[in-house]
Each structure stands twice: as structure tokens, then as C-alpha cells.
Amino acid sequence: MTEDKILYMVVPCYNEEEVLHETAKRLKEKYISLISRGLIDQQSRIVFVNDGSKDKTWQIIRELHEKEPNFFSGINLARNSGHQNAVLAGLMTVKDICDMAITMDADLQDDINAIDAMVEKYHEGNQVVYGVRSARRTDTFFKRFTAEGFYKFMKIMGADVVYNHADFRLMSRRVLQELSEYREVNLFLRGLVPLIGFQSCEIYYERAERFAGESKYPLKKMLSFAINGITSFSTKPLKLITAMGFIMSVISIIAMIWTVTVKFAGMSELGWSSTVCSIWFIGGLQLLALGIIGEYVGKIYAEVKQRPRYTIAEFINKGENERKINKLF
């Protein structure tokens, strides 16, 4: 084997006991194929990151490692830290022992067969390879409409994101080293990775339906994720508040002129409905502006405290089996 062929798959897991065995089986088959083709080294591993699951996810991960330590490793987080932090925990743990790392979810919606193309693009010189959905046929109309609207809105807000790309991507060791220098607590990797730079490309695949279990991203979490992405990478909402303030100032001057005119014309009682509507409108606008400002103040509050984004309770890996680590990244 030549150099630069050690691949670590980072697979975040939260209550994935129903799908984990099938995911492990398919990834193992893919690794055997890649090794036989000479695309990756035999030291390559599949790392499952248990994000504080309440079911038997970690127990299954340990069993997989014990049975086949040449394929499977595991990271157990001390508590549920969220999907983005679980991904980062895996990447930061393996960044010094791999040449490239691929992140994907455990639900088998990402196309495992696309891994071949990702590795090939890496060997062609690309430091980042984005897995991009070619279609959304498996999504409901609401899911498709909101997801595509999110990417378009992010572009409008000035955030550099890859359209229809989630967290299925390959990154080289060099990119992982640079990623470790970014210390923000409010993680949005879809915007952070393009910000790093380096030569990149995209490969397209069709996303399948979840193999088993339930989605870990209900509407509430999706909205929270979208708000976090927008406020973490764009200040345009704050600029929009300034623009709205200017517009409202112009409207208030016009309204003042209209009020004086009506007063002198002896028809002041006719302005009751317009006054009430104006009060409600301006009041709602002020609350919206305060809410947007509050989102940014909350981000500042979280960043200033500099609390660790996650805590690793245990890392099991061949050669480092049962090694306890207490790194706070």
C-alpha cells in the first residue's frame, strides 16, 4: 500500500439500534471492496460516534468492535451533544491517525456506493469532496420545499453553502487540521467547511429512504438548525433591521403629514383604524427586530463562555483498545 490511503468513516449515532447492524454490514462490505481495489489501506476504520443514545446503540458499537476490531471503532460521548458536535468529535479524534475522513449518517439514506467516487476524487487531488443530492424524490412536498428554500435563503443571506449538500463529505487530513482551528460553539459544518477553502469538487447521488427507525430531525430541530446556520454565517438580518427602521421612519413622516392634514380638514375621527393598525404593525416589527438581535446576542453569550462542545468518555480503537481520554476540544 502507498501512503495517504487510510480512510476513517465517522458515523454519528443517536438511538440507532434498529439500523446499526445493517449499516455496519454494508460499510464493511464497501471497505473490503475498496481495500481489494487498492483505494484505501487496511488500517482504515469505521468509527461510530454514540451521541448519548438512550437505547442499546453503544452496546452494539462495543460488540462490533470486539468481534471485528480491524473494521469497527467507537467513540462514546459523555452526553448528548447534538449531531454537529458528534460529527466534529469523531473528526477531531481521528484527524491525526487518518489521511482522509468521510462523514455520513447512520440511517443509510446517504449512498454508500458514492464512497468509491469520493475516494477516487481525493486521489485526483481534491481535499474536500461534497456528496450532493441529485434529486429529492423520497421527500414529501413540505420537506422538499422547505429544504430547497433553506439553501436558497442561505445564499441570499451571503452564506457559502453547497446546494443540496448535507453532511456527507470527504475531507483530507490537511482540511481536518485547519478545521480544528475553528473554535466556535455554534457549529454549522455545512457553512464552515466551504469557508476553509482548498481544492474541492462535488459528486452526485440519490438519497434513499431511512432504512429503519425514526428521523432525528423533526420540524422543530430543522427550524433551529436553519436559524443557527443563518445567524452563524450572516449578519444580513441585522442589516435588514436597519433597512426596516429607515423605511418605517419614512412611513412615519408620511403618516405625520397625513395626520396633520386630516386634523385641519376636520376629519380626525376617521383616523382611528389606521392608528390602531399602525400601532400593531410597528409593535410587531419591534418585537421581530428584538428577536433577531436576541439571536445574535445569544450566540455571543455562548461563544464568550467557551464551554467545551463535547466530552469524549471513551474511544475504542484497535491498538488503543479501552483507552480512556478526557480531551476537551
Side-chain angles (χ1 to χ4, degrees):
M1 284 283 179
T2 58
E3 296 180 353
D4 301 332
K5 288 189 177 183
I6 300 177
L7 168 65
Y8 268 69
M9 291 286 303
V10 174
V11 186
C13 307
Y14 178 68
N15 295 340
E16 297 288 4
E17 63 178 1
E18 296 179 55
V19 73
L20 206 50
H21 282 295
E22 183 65 24
T23 303
K25 174 187 172 185
R26 296 190 189 184
L27 284 175
K28 177 187 172 183
E29 291 172 352
K30 177 54 62 180
Y31 262 50
I32 291 173
S33 172
L34 291 170
I35 292 171
S36 66
R37 293 174 58 195
L39 290 175
I40 65 174
D41 193 273
Q42 291 181 351
Q43 298 179 62
S44 301
R45 298 286 183 272
I46 299 156
V47 184
F48 293 108
V49 183
N50 178 43
D51 186 22
S53 299
K54 298 176 182 178
D55 60 4
K56 297 180 180 178
T57 295
W58 180 241
Q59 179 182 330
I60 294 172
I61 294 172
R62 289 190 66 91
E63 290 172 355
L64 288 169
H65 171 73
E66 289 168 3
K67 290 178 181 178
E68 297 184 279
N70 288 328
F71 286 102
F72 303 112
S73 299
I75 297 171
N76 188 31
L77 300 187
R79 60 177 175 82
N80 178 252
S81 301
H83 178 270
Q84 296 290 279
N85 284 320
V87 172
L88 186 71
L91 292 174
M92 294 301 98
T93 302
V94 306
K95 66 181 175 64
D96 295 321
I97 54 178
C98 72
D99 297 309
M100 51 183 152
I102 294 178
T103 57
M104 65 173 288
D105 291 337
D107 54 19
L108 293 177
Q109 288 188 283
D110 295 324
D111 185 8
I112 289 178
N113 291 322
I115 294 173
D116 298 68
M118 285 183 163
V119 176
E120 289 169 357
K121 291 294 184 182
Y122 163 77
H123 287 306
E124 290 174 9
N126 292 284
Q127 301 294 306
V128 182
V129 183
Y130 299 102
V132 179
R133 295 180 65 164
S134 58
R136 287 184 173 270
R137 284 189 283 268
T138 60
D139 288 349
T140 62
F141 171 79
F142 178 77
K143 171 73 173 178
R144 182 169 60 252
F145 176 78
T146 53
E148 292 180 349
F150 165 72
Y151 288 106
K152 292 175 182 178
F153 188 67
M154 287 293 290
K155 283 289 186 181
I156 293 172
M157 289 292 102
D160 184 17
V161 295
V162 179
Y163 186 72
N164 270 340
H165 163 69
D167 288 297
F168 186 32
R169 71 179 73 86
L170 177 147
M171 290 178 282
S172 69
R173 180 192 290 185
R174 175 69 188 280
V175 175
L176 293 178
Q177 296 292 343
E178 295 299 326
L179 180 61
S180 68
E181 298 298 320
Y182 289 75
R183 299 291 180 175
E184 48 256 70
V185 174
N186 300 286
L187 274 180
F188 184 67
L189 292 172
R190 300 181 197 185
L192 201 57
V193 175
L195 192 64
I196 296 173
F198 292 105
Q199 182 175 330
S200 64
C201 68
E202 301 171 4
I203 61 103
Y204 295 87
Y205 71 99
E206 286 204 27
R207 192 168 168 87
E209 294 184 2
R210 170 177 265 274
F211 179 80
E214 298 179 352
S215 172
K216 304 305 183 296
Y217 263 91
L219 179 60
K220 183 180 178 181
K221 280 193 174 182
M222 286 174 58
L223 289 173
S224 177
F225 185 67
I227 292 171
N228 184 49
I230 293 168
T231 53
S232 294
F233 284 88
S234 176
T235 58
K236 281 193 176 182
L238 293 174
K239 295 177 181 178
L240 286 174
I241 292 176
T242 304
M244 286 191 296
F246 177 77
I247 293 170
M248 291 307 302
S249 297
V250 174
I251 292 175
S252 66
I253 293 172
I254 296 172
M256 183 178 65
I257 296 172
W258 175 80
T259 302
V260 172
T261 303
V262 170
K263 176 67 176 178
F264 282 107
M267 300 182 295
S268 58
E269 70 277 3
L270 298 176
W272 179 84
S273 58
S274 61
T275 301
V276 171
C277 290
S278 297
I279 291 173
W280 278 97
F281 176 71
I282 294 173
L285 198 61
Q286 288 175 331
L287 289 174
L288 174 63
L290 286 173
I292 293 174
I293 293 171
E295 283 291 329
Y296 282 92
V297 172
K299 291 287 188 297
I300 295 170
Y301 177 65
E303 295 292 343
V304 168
K305 287 186 293 185
Q306 294 186 334
R307 291 177 179 173
R309 292 168 290 190
Y310 54 83
T311 302
I312 298 176
E314 189 173 3
F315 174 39
I316 50 176
N317 190 41
K318 185 178 180 182
E320 301 179 77
N321 191 25
E322 303 303 316
R323 182 169 66 92
K324 305 288 184 179
I325 58 177
N326 295 304
K327 290 185 178 180
L328 300 180
F329 295 89

